[in-house]
């Protein structure tokens, strides 16, 4: 795969994960103080996502960072898994009772751990 295309795909995943984490965290922390805390959480998540995506894209274009690449792939996998499961939950109504918030987070965390462990398993062969 092209190095810049790979870096872009991973950087978008990192930005997505950052958007979900920062936006959710700021919204939850501000909910006791501000009634419409979502209006504070969304912009904070977008700013964090833009920064994380830009930094990870710039860093992933250099080929010498294998550990950082592995971490970025794992973080990106979390964001893509959450979005994919949310899409399944939306598009397939019978899955809505099964794919609650906790299940989505658990599956996304397992995807992230699997992506982190794949290079370790390949190197042990």
């Amino acid at each position: 795969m092209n190095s810049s295309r790979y870096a872009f795909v991973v950087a978008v995943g990192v930005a997505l994960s950052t958007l979900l984490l920062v936006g959710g965290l700021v919204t939850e922390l501000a909910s006791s103080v501000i009634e419409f805390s979502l209006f504070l959480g969304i912009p904070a998540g977008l700013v964090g996502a833009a920064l994380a995506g830009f930094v990870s894209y710039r860093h992933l274009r250099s080929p010498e960072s294998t550990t950082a690449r592995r971490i970025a792939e794992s973080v990106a996998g979390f964001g893509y898994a959450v979005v994919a499961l949310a899409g399944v939950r939306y598009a397939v109504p019978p899955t809505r009772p099964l794919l609650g918030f906790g299940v989505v987070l658990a599956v996304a965390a397992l995807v992230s751990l699997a992506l982190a462990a794949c290079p370790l398993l390949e190197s042990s062969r």
Side-chain angles (χ1 to χ4, degrees):
M1 180 186 277
N2 189 358
S3 176
S4 64
R5 189 176 303 159
Y6 160 81
F8 180 75
V9 169
V10 174
V12 167
V14 169
L16 186 60
S17 296
T18 305
L19 172 69
L20 294 170
L21 178 69
V22 172
L25 188 64
V26 169
T27 300
E28 192 59 36
L29 290 175
S31 66
S32 63
V33 180
I34 301 170
E35 187 170 340
F36 298 107
S37 61
L38 189 64
F39 293 131
L40 185 63
I42 290 174
L46 288 173
V47 169
L51 287 173
F54 177 74
V55 169
S56 62
Y57 178 73
R58 295 278 307 225
H59 192 67
L60 288 171
R61 284 186 16 197
S62 63
E64 65 267 357
S65 59
T66 59
T67 304
R69 184 176 69 231
R70 206 176 315 156
I71 291 170
E73 288 172 351
S74 178
V75 171
F78 180 83
Y80 283 132
V82 169
V83 169
L85 289 172
V88 168
R89 187 176 193 273
Y90 176 76
V92 185
T95 62
R96 290 180 186 157
L98 302 173
L99 293 176
F101 181 71
V103 173
V104 168
L105 286 182
V107 171
L110 287 174
V111 167
S112 181
L113 287 173
L115 284 172
C118 279
L120 297 175
L121 294 175
E122 289 175 0
S123 66
S124 66
R125 288 186 198 179

